[in-house]
Amino acid sequence: MSIKSTTPAQHKSNLRNVYGTFAIEGMTISKATRSNLDRIGNGQASWQEVVKELRAKYDHPDNA
């Protein structure tokens, strides 16, 4: 699978678009979600890695 890299300016613009879309819908984005989006956009993690981390976090028996 090929991942298209973005420049820091493109990444910042993409995040603003996501935040704006949520705001239009009257929704907010948590700090954790912002962090995950930033990690994906900066190439620090793939979306698959983030999904795997979230599944592990929320599938844990202590979180039930």
Side-chain angles (χ1 to χ4, degrees), residues 15-54:
L15 288 178
R16 274 195 317 266
N17 289 338
V18 170
Y19 303 155
T21 300
F22 271 70
I24 289 167
E25 296 295 331
M27 299 167 27
T28 59
I29 299 175
S30 70
K31 287 182 183 180
T33 299
R34 287 178 186 241
S35 175
N36 284 330
L37 288 172
D38 203 36
R39 289 174 53 219
I40 294 166
N42 286 331
Q44 295 170 335
S46 69
W47 67 266
Q48 294 96 334
E49 291 170 319
V50 171
V51 168
K52 184 178 178 180
E53 292 168 5
L54 291 170

